Amino acid sequence: MNRNPDEIVSEQIESFAKWLEAPHSELRSGALAYEAPELIGIVKQLERENRIHTPDEETVARIRSHLFATMPHEQSSSPRLRMKRIFIASAGAASFLLFTLLALGFSSPAWAEKLKHVPLISSVFELFQEDTLQIANEKGLITAVNQSAVVNGITITVNEVFYDGIQLGIGYLIQMPETTEKAAAKEIAERIVLKDFTLAEPIDNTGAGWSSEVKQMEDYLFAGVSIITLNGTWPDQFTMQAQLYDYQNAQSTWNLQLPVVKPFTKIDSKTLTPHISQTLRSNFAFQVKEVTLTPVSTTVVLKETPPDDKLYEPSYTLLDPNGKEIRIEEESTNYDENGISRKLIVSFKEKPAYIQLIPHMSGKAEPDKAVKISLQ
Amino acid sequence: MKIQPFQAIGSLLLAAVIGLTGVATVSSGHAPTTQPSDASKQESLPALVEASFQKLLEVEPSLKTWKIMGMRKSPISISGDIRGVWTFTLHETGNATDRGKRFAEVQFDSTTGILLHYHGGPFPAAKVTSRQKDYYLKRGQELMSQLLGSENTKQFKTVSNQSIDTGDTNGFTRELSDITFKAEKEQITLSIDSDGRLEQYHRVRLPTQKK
C-alpha cells in the first residue's frame, strides 16, 4: 500500500528533529579545535618574544592560494584581512612556523616540543577529525569549488567537495558580520547545518543521512564540514543544490549549487558480494551481503535475522590482518521489506587484503563466530 | 478491563490486516534516514500490548476519538533496538491530508507489551503557563506510575535531566518540560506540557559496553 506523503513528511521531520537532539558526544570531537587556539597562542608568543612579525607577502600569498584558492575575489577587503590573520595563525602554520623556527634556531626546547604536535593545515577538511576527509585530502581526491552565498550579512563559502559515491563531504567557511555580538556570532554559526540537498538531475534513490560540524577559527570566522552518507546508487557526477540553514531561524537559508564529481575512474571502485553467513550462540544470524570499495571508503552491508521477537543487541568490531581494530566511521541500521540491514563504513589509507569481523551480542564478543571478509 | 470503543475499532481494523509500511532506521554519527518498506504481518495483537495501549488511553483520553491509521509489526524499534515491536499510527481526523491536524505514533515491545515510544500532540494549551520544576517532576512521576505501574516505576528512580523550555509549536506558544528518569540499563524521557499532558515518551536502552 502506498504511503501517504504526509506520513512520510511527518516521519522525516521527526527523524530530523531526533538528529538535532542527538548528543554532542556523537559528533566527532575535533582535537584541532583545541590545538588551533594553542597554535595561535604559540605564534603570538613567538612574535612577542622575538619581535618576529607576520610572514612575508610571498608566504601569505602561498598560504592564501593553498587554502583559499577558491575564495571569491569580489569579497570585501574586511573579511580578507580577517582571513589573512587567520591564515597566518593557523592555515599557514607549517610554512610560517618553519620559517620562524629556523629564524629562532629553536631557542626554546619547550616551544620546539610543542610545535612537534602542530599539524600542517592545507584544507578546511584537515581541520576536522574525519578519517574519510583526511584520507581523501591526502590522496588528492578533493574537488576545489568556488561558491558563496550571503544571507543577512553572513557569508558562507563552500570551497571543497569530496565524493566517492558512498560519502559526500563539503567544506565551508562562515564569515559572520562584525556588527554581531561575539557570543551571538558563535551561537549562530554553530547552528548552521546542512538542511537538505537535491539534485539538478532526477535521481531515483536519494536516501541519505548527514552530519555537520562547525569550528571557530576566529571571533567572526568559522569553518564547517557536512558529511553525507548516501544510500543507493549515485551518478559519477551531478550538481548538488545544497541548502545550509540556521535551524532556529529557517528563514536564514543559503542556497548553493555545487559541482560534484567522482575524482577517480570506475576501475578504482568495485562491489563484491561475498557469500558469508554466520549464526551466533543466541541463534541470531547475519550475512555479509555486500562490500563496496572505493579509493577512500569501504562499506560492509550485513543482513541480520533475529530468531524471534526478543531483544537482541548485536554489535561488531572490525580488525585488520594484524589484529588491530579498525575505526568504524559510520554505522547505521535500516529496516525495509528485505529485513534488517546494517551498514558499516570505514576508510583506509592502504586497503588491507582482508578484514575480520567479530560479532558481539549484548556486549559480549563471540570471536569463534568471526568471519573473514576479502577486500580483493 | 473495560473495553473501549477505540479498542474495538482497532481490533476490527487489525482483523482486516491493514497493509502498512514500516520504517525504522537509526544511525550513529550521521542523521537517520527513512526508507519505505512493507512488512505487515498477519498476526494478532498480543494481549500485553493491548493492555499497555489501554493504559496510554487512560493517560491521554483524547486519543480515543482519534482514528487508527494503521498497526504494523516490525523487528526493529524507532530507536534502533532489534526487538519485535508493534507500532500504531493515529490521526486526529483520519484524513492524513487534513492540514494542521495532529498525528500520534505509539510503539510497544511485542513480547512484553511495554510502551517504548509515544509521540502525541501538540495539544492546545489554553494559555502560556509558567510552571515550576517541581510541578513537572510530580506530574512526570504520576505519568510514569500510570503507564508503568508503581512497582516498575521504582526502577526508574534517578532523575538525570530536567529542562523547561517555551517554544512555538504549530503556531502557538507553549511551555514544555523534558524529564529523564534513569534505571540501571534503561531510561525514559517524558515531554510534558504546562497542562500536565504527556506529549512524548521515549524508553531507550543505555549503551552496552563491548567486552
PDB file of all heavy atoms in Angstrom, chain A residues 224-256:
ATOM      1  N   GLY A 224      33.370  24.878   8.640  1.00  0.00           N
ATOM      2  CA  GLY A 224      32.401  23.801   8.846  1.00  0.00           C
ATOM      3  C   GLY A 224      32.555  22.703   7.814  1.00  0.00           C
ATOM      4  O   GLY A 224      33.062  22.929   6.717  1.00  0.00           O
ATOM      5  N   VAL A 225      32.153  21.505   8.207  1.00  0.00           N
ATOM      6  CA  VAL A 225      32.057  20.405   7.239  1.00  0.00           C
ATOM      7  C   VAL A 225      30.699  19.724   7.399  1.00  0.00           C
ATOM      8  O   VAL A 225      30.157  19.669   8.498  1.00  0.00           O
ATOM      9  CB  VAL A 225      33.161  19.322   7.387  1.00  0.00           C
ATOM     10  CG1 VAL A 225      34.515  19.829   6.971  1.00  0.00           C
ATOM     11  CG2 VAL A 225      33.192  18.735   8.780  1.00  0.00           C
ATOM     12  N   SER A 226      30.189  19.241   6.308  1.00  0.00           N
ATOM     13  CA  SER A 226      28.991  18.395   6.327  1.00  0.00           C
ATOM     14  C   SER A 226      29.343  17.126   5.580  1.00  0.00           C
ATOM     15  O   SER A 226      29.917  17.191   4.492  1.00  0.00           O
ATOM     16  CB  SER A 226      27.819  19.076   5.629  1.00  0.00           C
ATOM     17  OG  SER A 226      27.285  20.072   6.459  1.00  0.00           O
ATOM     18  N   ILE A 227      29.026  16.007   6.188  1.00  0.00           N
ATOM     19  CA  ILE A 227      29.304  14.733   5.526  1.00  0.00           C
ATOM     20  C   ILE A 227      27.980  14.003   5.332  1.00  0.00           C
ATOM     21  O   ILE A 227      27.183  13.892   6.260  1.00  0.00           O
ATOM     22  CB  ILE A 227      30.251  13.857   6.359  1.00  0.00           C
ATOM     23  CG1 ILE A 227      31.542  14.638   6.631  1.00  0.00           C
ATOM     24  CG2 ILE A 227      30.574  12.563   5.629  1.00  0.00           C
ATOM     25  CD1 ILE A 227      32.408  13.982   7.648  1.00  0.00           C
ATOM     26  N   ILE A 228      27.787  13.555   4.136  1.00  0.00           N
ATOM     27  CA  ILE A 228      26.535  12.885   3.800  1.00  0.00           C
ATOM     28  C   ILE A 228      26.841  11.441   3.440  1.00  0.00           C
ATOM     29  O   ILE A 228      27.714  11.184   2.612  1.00  0.00           O
ATOM     30  CB  ILE A 228      25.861  13.587   2.602  1.00  0.00           C
ATOM     31  CG1 ILE A 228      25.648  15.071   2.919  1.00  0.00           C
ATOM     32  CG2 ILE A 228      24.551  12.922   2.239  1.00  0.00           C
ATOM     33  CD1 ILE A 228      25.568  15.919   1.686  1.00  0.00           C
ATOM     34  N   THR A 229      26.147  10.529   4.077  1.00  0.00           N
ATOM     35  CA  THR A 229      26.283   9.118   3.711  1.00  0.00           C
ATOM     36  C   THR A 229      25.143   8.791   2.760  1.00  0.00           C
ATOM     37  O   THR A 229      23.975   8.954   3.104  1.00  0.00           O
ATOM     38  CB  THR A 229      26.192   8.228   4.961  1.00  0.00           C
ATOM     39  OG1 THR A 229      27.183   8.669   5.883  1.00  0.00           O
ATOM     40  CG2 THR A 229      26.456   6.780   4.611  1.00  0.00           C
ATOM     41  N   LEU A 230      25.484   8.367   1.575  1.00  0.00           N
ATOM     42  CA  LEU A 230      24.464   8.176   0.542  1.00  0.00           C
ATOM     43  C   LEU A 230      23.956   6.749   0.526  1.00  0.00           C
ATOM     44  O   LEU A 230      24.725   5.815   0.736  1.00  0.00           O
ATOM     45  CB  LEU A 230      25.065   8.525  -0.821  1.00  0.00           C
ATOM     46  CG  LEU A 230      25.683   9.926  -0.914  1.00  0.00           C
ATOM     47  CD1 LEU A 230      26.614  10.013  -2.098  1.00  0.00           C
ATOM     48  CD2 LEU A 230      24.594  10.979  -1.009  1.00  0.00           C
ATOM     49  N   ASN A 231      22.704   6.607   0.263  1.00  0.00           N
ATOM     50  CA  ASN A 231      22.128   5.277   0.061  1.00  0.00           C
ATOM     51  C   ASN A 231      21.874   5.082  -1.426  1.00  0.00           C
ATOM     52  O   ASN A 231      21.602   6.048  -2.137  1.00  0.00           O
ATOM     53  CB  ASN A 231      20.802   5.139   0.806  1.00  0.00           C
ATOM     54  CG  ASN A 231      21.013   5.014   2.300  1.00  0.00           C
ATOM     55  OD1 ASN A 231      22.008   4.460   2.750  1.00  0.00           O
ATOM     56  ND2 ASN A 231      20.102   5.559   3.074  1.00  0.00           N
ATOM     57  N   GLY A 232      21.938   3.874  -1.864  1.00  0.00           N
ATOM     58  CA  GLY A 232      21.616   3.595  -3.263  1.00  0.00           C
ATOM     59  C   GLY A 232      22.764   3.942  -4.196  1.00  0.00           C
ATOM     60  O   GLY A 232      23.885   4.198  -3.779  1.00  0.00           O
ATOM     61  N   THR A 233      22.432   3.954  -5.475  1.00  0.00           N
ATOM     62  CA  THR A 233      23.456   4.201  -6.494  1.00  0.00           C
ATOM     63  C   THR A 233      23.382   5.644  -6.966  1.00  0.00           C
ATOM     64  O   THR A 233      22.306   6.137  -7.294  1.00  0.00           O
ATOM     65  CB  THR A 233      23.226   3.256  -7.696  1.00  0.00           C
ATOM     66  OG1 THR A 233      23.160   1.924  -7.182  1.00  0.00           O
ATOM     67  CG2 THR A 233      24.359   3.346  -8.699  1.00  0.00           C
ATOM     68  N   TRP A 234      24.510   6.300  -6.978  1.00  0.00           N
ATOM     69  CA  TRP A 234      24.571   7.705  -7.366  1.00  0.00           C
ATOM     70  C   TRP A 234      25.435   7.858  -8.606  1.00  0.00           C
ATOM     71  O   TRP A 234      26.354   7.081  -8.822  1.00  0.00           O
ATOM     72  CB  TRP A 234      25.129   8.537  -6.199  1.00  0.00           C
ATOM     73  CG  TRP A 234      24.151   8.606  -5.068  1.00  0.00           C
ATOM     74  CD1 TRP A 234      23.780   7.575  -4.243  1.00  0.00           C
ATOM     75  CD2 TRP A 234      23.380   9.728  -4.673  1.00  0.00           C
ATOM     76  NE1 TRP A 234      22.841   8.000  -3.353  1.00  0.00           N
ATOM     77  CE2 TRP A 234      22.576   9.318  -3.582  1.00  0.00           C
ATOM     78  CE3 TRP A 234      23.297  11.053  -5.098  1.00  0.00           C
ATOM     79  CZ2 TRP A 234      21.690  10.182  -2.944  1.00  0.00           C
ATOM     80  CZ3 TRP A 234      22.424  11.905  -4.459  1.00  0.00           C
ATOM     81  CH2 TRP A 234      21.634  11.469  -3.405  1.00  0.00           C
ATOM     82  N   PRO A 235      25.162   8.891  -9.421  1.00  0.00           N
ATOM     83  CA  PRO A 235      25.933   9.059 -10.654  1.00  0.00           C
ATOM     84  C   PRO A 235      27.374   9.505 -10.368  1.00  0.00           C
ATOM     85  O   PRO A 235      27.683   9.946  -9.267  1.00  0.00           O
ATOM     86  CB  PRO A 235      25.166  10.155 -11.401  1.00  0.00           C
ATOM     87  CG  PRO A 235      24.396  10.875 -10.361  1.00  0.00           C
ATOM     88  CD  PRO A 235      24.125   9.913  -9.259  1.00  0.00           C
ATOM     89  N   ASP A 236      28.206   9.396 -11.402  1.00  0.00           N
ATOM     90  CA  ASP A 236      29.610   9.784 -11.228  1.00  0.00           C
ATOM     91  C   ASP A 236      29.763  11.284 -11.043  1.00  0.00           C
ATOM     92  O   ASP A 236      30.713  11.739 -10.430  1.00  0.00           O
ATOM     93  CB  ASP A 236      30.433   9.333 -12.449  1.00  0.00           C
ATOM     94  CG  ASP A 236      30.589   7.815 -12.465  1.00  0.00           C
ATOM     95  OD1 ASP A 236      30.282   7.186 -11.427  1.00  0.00           O
ATOM     96  OD2 ASP A 236      30.989   7.277 -13.501  1.00  0.00           O
ATOM     97  N   GLN A 237      28.837  12.031 -11.612  1.00  0.00           N
ATOM     98  CA  GLN A 237      28.881  13.478 -11.376  1.00  0.00           C
ATOM     99  C   GLN A 237      27.488  14.081 -11.444  1.00  0.00           C
ATOM    100  O   GLN A 237      26.622  13.594 -12.150  1.00  0.00           O
ATOM    101  CB  GLN A 237      29.828  14.174 -12.343  1.00  0.00           C
ATOM    102  CG  GLN A 237      29.458  14.105 -13.811  1.00  0.00           C
ATOM    103  CD  GLN A 237      30.470  14.890 -14.616  1.00  0.00           C
ATOM    104  OE1 GLN A 237      31.604  14.460 -14.755  1.00  0.00           O
ATOM    105  NE2 GLN A 237      30.063  16.032 -15.136  1.00  0.00           N
ATOM    106  N   PHE A 238      27.278  15.100 -10.670  1.00  0.00           N
ATOM    107  CA  PHE A 238      25.987  15.783 -10.657  1.00  0.00           C
ATOM    108  C   PHE A 238      26.138  17.151 -10.016  1.00  0.00           C
ATOM    109  O   PHE A 238      27.201  17.486  -9.481  1.00  0.00           O
ATOM    110  CB  PHE A 238      24.920  14.960  -9.916  1.00  0.00           C
ATOM    111  CG  PHE A 238      25.256  14.628  -8.483  1.00  0.00           C
ATOM    112  CD1 PHE A 238      24.890  15.484  -7.450  1.00  0.00           C
ATOM    113  CD2 PHE A 238      25.920  13.455  -8.171  1.00  0.00           C
ATOM    114  CE1 PHE A 238      25.186  15.183  -6.135  1.00  0.00           C
ATOM    115  CE2 PHE A 238      26.228  13.140  -6.854  1.00  0.00           C
ATOM    116  CZ  PHE A 238      25.858  14.002  -5.826  1.00  0.00           C
ATOM    117  N   THR A 239      25.082  17.936 -10.090  1.00  0.00           N
ATOM    118  CA  THR A 239      25.092  19.241  -9.437  1.00  0.00           C
ATOM    119  C   THR A 239      24.295  19.125  -8.147  1.00  0.00           C
ATOM    120  O   THR A 239      23.136  18.722  -8.158  1.00  0.00           O
ATOM    121  CB  THR A 239      24.469  20.323 -10.350  1.00  0.00           C
ATOM    122  OG1 THR A 239      25.202  20.327 -11.569  1.00  0.00           O
ATOM    123  CG2 THR A 239      24.539  21.697  -9.707  1.00  0.00           C
ATOM    124  N   MET A 240      24.937  19.445  -7.054  1.00  0.00           N
ATOM    125  CA  MET A 240      24.273  19.359  -5.754  1.00  0.00           C
ATOM    126  C   MET A 240      23.691  20.730  -5.428  1.00  0.00           C
ATOM    127  O   MET A 240      24.399  21.725  -5.440  1.00  0.00           O
ATOM    128  CB  MET A 240      25.319  18.983  -4.701  1.00  0.00           C
ATOM    129  CG  MET A 240      24.833  19.009  -3.278  1.00  0.00           C
ATOM    130  SD  MET A 240      26.262  18.743  -2.191  1.00  0.00           S
ATOM    131  CE  MET A 240      25.463  18.711  -0.602  1.00  0.00           C
ATOM    132  N   GLN A 241      22.399  20.746  -5.170  1.00  0.00           N
ATOM    133  CA  GLN A 241      21.781  22.007  -4.762  1.00  0.00           C
ATOM    134  C   GLN A 241      21.682  21.971  -3.234  1.00  0.00           C
ATOM    135  O   GLN A 241      20.732  21.448  -2.680  1.00  0.00           O
ATOM    136  CB  GLN A 241      20.430  22.170  -5.431  1.00  0.00           C
ATOM    137  CG  GLN A 241      20.594  22.347  -6.934  1.00  0.00           C
ATOM    138  CD  GLN A 241      19.292  22.443  -7.689  1.00  0.00           C
ATOM    139  OE1 GLN A 241      18.245  22.049  -7.203  1.00  0.00           O
ATOM    140  NE2 GLN A 241      19.375  22.962  -8.898  1.00  0.00           N
ATOM    141  N   ALA A 242      22.722  22.486  -2.621  1.00  0.00           N
ATOM    142  CA  ALA A 242      22.819  22.380  -1.153  1.00  0.00           C
ATOM    143  C   ALA A 242      22.116  23.549  -0.475  1.00  0.00           C
ATOM    144  O   ALA A 242      22.181  24.677  -0.939  1.00  0.00           O
ATOM    145  CB  ALA A 242      24.275  22.358  -0.741  1.00  0.00           C
ATOM    146  N   GLN A 243      21.436  23.225   0.599  1.00  0.00           N
ATOM    147  CA  GLN A 243      20.799  24.267   1.415  1.00  0.00           C
ATOM    148  C   GLN A 243      21.399  24.178   2.812  1.00  0.00           C
ATOM    149  O   GLN A 243      21.228  23.179   3.500  1.00  0.00           O
ATOM    150  CB  GLN A 243      19.308  24.011   1.524  1.00  0.00           C
ATOM    151  CG  GLN A 243      18.501  24.496   0.351  1.00  0.00           C
ATOM    152  CD  GLN A 243      17.021  24.454   0.678  1.00  0.00           C
ATOM    153  OE1 GLN A 243      16.542  23.535   1.318  1.00  0.00           O
ATOM    154  NE2 GLN A 243      16.305  25.456   0.255  1.00  0.00           N
ATOM    155  N   LEU A 244      22.092  25.213   3.212  1.00  0.00           N
ATOM    156  CA  LEU A 244      22.553  25.293   4.595  1.00  0.00           C
ATOM    157  C   LEU A 244      21.609  26.261   5.297  1.00  0.00           C
ATOM    158  O   LEU A 244      21.154  27.237   4.698  1.00  0.00           O
ATOM    159  CB  LEU A 244      23.991  25.807   4.654  1.00  0.00           C
ATOM    160  CG  LEU A 244      25.027  24.765   4.224  1.00  0.00           C
ATOM    161  CD1 LEU A 244      25.955  25.327   3.204  1.00  0.00           C
ATOM    162  CD2 LEU A 244      25.805  24.270   5.432  1.00  0.00           C
ATOM    163  N   TYR A 245      21.287  25.986   6.542  1.00  0.00           N
ATOM    164  CA  TYR A 245      20.377  26.908   7.215  1.00  0.00           C
ATOM    165  C   TYR A 245      20.621  26.950   8.715  1.00  0.00           C
ATOM    166  O   TYR A 245      21.268  26.072   9.286  1.00  0.00           O
ATOM    167  CB  TYR A 245      18.915  26.541   6.897  1.00  0.00           C
ATOM    168  CG  TYR A 245      18.275  25.490   7.778  1.00  0.00           C
ATOM    169  CD1 TYR A 245      16.992  25.690   8.288  1.00  0.00           C
ATOM    170  CD2 TYR A 245      18.919  24.306   8.083  1.00  0.00           C
ATOM    171  CE1 TYR A 245      16.382  24.735   9.080  1.00  0.00           C
ATOM    172  CE2 TYR A 245      18.316  23.343   8.880  1.00  0.00           C
ATOM    173  CZ  TYR A 245      17.048  23.567   9.375  1.00  0.00           C
ATOM    174  OH  TYR A 245      16.448  22.630  10.161  1.00  0.00           O
ATOM    175  N   ASP A 246      20.147  28.043   9.324  1.00  0.00           N
ATOM    176  CA  ASP A 246      20.191  28.197  10.768  1.00  0.00           C
ATOM    177  C   ASP A 246      18.945  27.478  11.285  1.00  0.00           C
ATOM    178  O   ASP A 246      17.822  27.909  11.022  1.00  0.00           O
ATOM    179  CB  ASP A 246      20.147  29.701  11.106  1.00  0.00           C
ATOM    180  CG  ASP A 246      20.018  29.955  12.603  1.00  0.00           C
ATOM    181  OD1 ASP A 246      19.775  29.002  13.362  1.00  0.00           O
ATOM    182  OD2 ASP A 246      20.139  31.126  12.992  1.00  0.00           O
ATOM    183  N   TYR A 247      19.124  26.371  11.999  1.00  0.00           N
ATOM    184  CA  TYR A 247      17.964  25.551  12.325  1.00  0.00           C
ATOM    185  C   TYR A 247      17.004  26.203  13.325  1.00  0.00           C
ATOM    186  O   TYR A 247      15.917  25.702  13.537  1.00  0.00           O
ATOM    187  CB  TYR A 247      18.361  24.133  12.750  1.00  0.00           C
ATOM    188  CG  TYR A 247      19.118  23.997  14.053  1.00  0.00           C
ATOM    189  CD1 TYR A 247      18.468  24.080  15.266  1.00  0.00           C
ATOM    190  CD2 TYR A 247      20.478  23.755  14.048  1.00  0.00           C
ATOM    191  CE1 TYR A 247      19.158  23.937  16.446  1.00  0.00           C
ATOM    192  CE2 TYR A 247      21.183  23.602  15.231  1.00  0.00           C
ATOM    193  CZ  TYR A 247      20.516  23.704  16.431  1.00  0.00           C
ATOM    194  OH  TYR A 247      21.197  23.568  17.605  1.00  0.00           O
ATOM    195  N   GLN A 248      17.420  27.314  13.915  1.00  0.00           N
ATOM    196  CA  GLN A 248      16.462  28.017  14.779  1.00  0.00           C
ATOM    197  C   GLN A 248      15.835  29.204  14.052  1.00  0.00           C
ATOM    198  O   GLN A 248      15.048  29.944  14.616  1.00  0.00           O
ATOM    199  CB  GLN A 248      17.146  28.482  16.058  1.00  0.00           C
ATOM    200  CG  GLN A 248      17.302  27.337  17.051  1.00  0.00           C
ATOM    201  CD  GLN A 248      17.737  27.811  18.415  1.00  0.00           C
ATOM    202  OE1 GLN A 248      17.733  29.000  18.710  1.00  0.00           O
ATOM    203  NE2 GLN A 248      18.110  26.878  19.260  1.00  0.00           N
ATOM    204  N   ASN A 249      16.276  29.430  12.859  1.00  0.00           N
ATOM    205  CA  ASN A 249      15.738  30.539  12.073  1.00  0.00           C
ATOM    206  C   ASN A 249      15.761  30.117  10.609  1.00  0.00           C
ATOM    207  O   ASN A 249      16.662  30.468   9.857  1.00  0.00           O
ATOM    208  CB  ASN A 249      16.600  31.795  12.309  1.00  0.00           C
ATOM    209  CG  ASN A 249      16.133  32.951  11.468  1.00  0.00           C
ATOM    210  OD1 ASN A 249      15.018  32.963  10.947  1.00  0.00           O
ATOM    211  ND2 ASN A 249      16.993  33.943  11.305  1.00  0.00           N
ATOM    212  N   ALA A 250      14.746  29.329  10.258  1.00  0.00           N
ATOM    213  CA  ALA A 250      14.737  28.695   8.934  1.00  0.00           C
ATOM    214  C   ALA A 250      14.729  29.706   7.783  1.00  0.00           C
ATOM    215  O   ALA A 250      14.978  29.347   6.631  1.00  0.00           O
ATOM    216  CB  ALA A 250      13.543  27.757   8.824  1.00  0.00           C
ATOM    217  N   GLN A 251      14.453  30.986   8.113  1.00  0.00           N
ATOM    218  CA  GLN A 251      14.461  31.979   7.034  1.00  0.00           C
ATOM    219  C   GLN A 251      15.886  32.249   6.547  1.00  0.00           C
ATOM    220  O   GLN A 251      16.082  32.739   5.446  1.00  0.00           O
ATOM    221  CB  GLN A 251      13.805  33.270   7.518  1.00  0.00           C
ATOM    222  CG  GLN A 251      12.296  33.110   7.625  1.00  0.00           C
ATOM    223  CD  GLN A 251      11.633  34.305   8.257  1.00  0.00           C
ATOM    224  OE1 GLN A 251      12.265  35.049   8.998  1.00  0.00           O
ATOM    225  NE2 GLN A 251      10.362  34.479   7.988  1.00  0.00           N
ATOM    226  N   SER A 252      16.850  31.967   7.424  1.00  0.00           N
ATOM    227  CA  SER A 252      18.245  32.132   7.008  1.00  0.00           C
ATOM    228  C   SER A 252      18.703  30.855   6.330  1.00  0.00           C
ATOM    229  O   SER A 252      19.122  29.910   6.985  1.00  0.00           O
ATOM    230  CB  SER A 252      19.132  32.420   8.221  1.00  0.00           C
ATOM    231  OG  SER A 252      18.801  33.647   8.794  1.00  0.00           O
ATOM    232  N   THR A 253      18.558  30.830   5.030  1.00  0.00           N
ATOM    233  CA  THR A 253      18.943  29.647   4.259  1.00  0.00           C
ATOM    234  C   THR A 253      19.873  30.060   3.127  1.00  0.00           C
ATOM    235  O   THR A 253      19.569  30.984   2.383  1.00  0.00           O
ATOM    236  CB  THR A 253      17.690  28.947   3.689  1.00  0.00           C
ATOM    237  OG1 THR A 253      16.857  28.572   4.783  1.00  0.00           O
ATOM    238  CG2 THR A 253      18.051  27.697   2.912  1.00  0.00           C
ATOM    239  N   TRP A 254      20.984  29.380   3.034  1.00  0.00           N
ATOM    240  CA  TRP A 254      21.960  29.666   1.995  1.00  0.00           C
ATOM    241  C   TRP A 254      21.852  28.575   0.932  1.00  0.00           C
ATOM    242  O   TRP A 254      22.023  27.394   1.242  1.00  0.00           O
ATOM    243  CB  TRP A 254      23.379  29.668   2.574  1.00  0.00           C
ATOM    244  CG  TRP A 254      23.652  30.793   3.518  1.00  0.00           C
ATOM    245  CD1 TRP A 254      24.320  31.955   3.248  1.00  0.00           C
ATOM    246  CD2 TRP A 254      23.275  30.884   4.900  1.00  0.00           C
ATOM    247  NE1 TRP A 254      24.376  32.742   4.367  1.00  0.00           N
ATOM    248  CE2 TRP A 254      23.747  32.123   5.392  1.00  0.00           C
ATOM    249  CE3 TRP A 254      22.589  30.044   5.777  1.00  0.00           C
ATOM    250  CZ2 TRP A 254      23.547  32.532   6.706  1.00  0.00           C
ATOM    251  CZ3 TRP A 254      22.384  30.457   7.082  1.00  0.00           C
ATOM    252  CH2 TRP A 254      22.860  31.678   7.539  1.00  0.00           C
ATOM    253  N   ASN A 255      21.534  28.980  -0.278  1.00  0.00           N
ATOM    254  CA  ASN A 255      21.402  28.025  -1.380  1.00  0.00           C
ATOM    255  C   ASN A 255      22.661  28.058  -2.234  1.00  0.00           C
ATOM    256  O   ASN A 255      23.086  29.129  -2.671  1.00  0.00           O
ATOM    257  CB  ASN A 255      20.190  28.383  -2.250  1.00  0.00           C
ATOM    258  CG  ASN A 255      18.901  28.103  -1.510  1.00  0.00           C
ATOM    259  OD1 ASN A 255      18.593  26.960  -1.191  1.00  0.00           O
ATOM    260  ND2 ASN A 255      18.153  29.144  -1.181  1.00  0.00           N
ATOM    261  N   LEU A 256      23.222  26.901  -2.431  1.00  0.00           N
ATOM    262  CA  LEU A 256      24.463  26.834  -3.197  1.00  0.00           C
ATOM    263  C   LEU A 256      24.393  25.697  -4.205  1.00  0.00           C
ATOM    264  O   LEU A 256      23.876  24.623  -3.885  1.00  0.00           O
ATOM    265  CB  LEU A 256      25.643  26.591  -2.250  1.00  0.00           C
ATOM    266  CG  LEU A 256      25.916  27.715  -1.253  1.00  0.00           C
ATOM    267  CD1 LEU A 256      26.253  27.162   0.104  1.00  0.00           C
ATOM    268  CD2 LEU A 256      27.020  28.610  -1.749  1.00  0.00           C
TER     269      LEU A 256
END
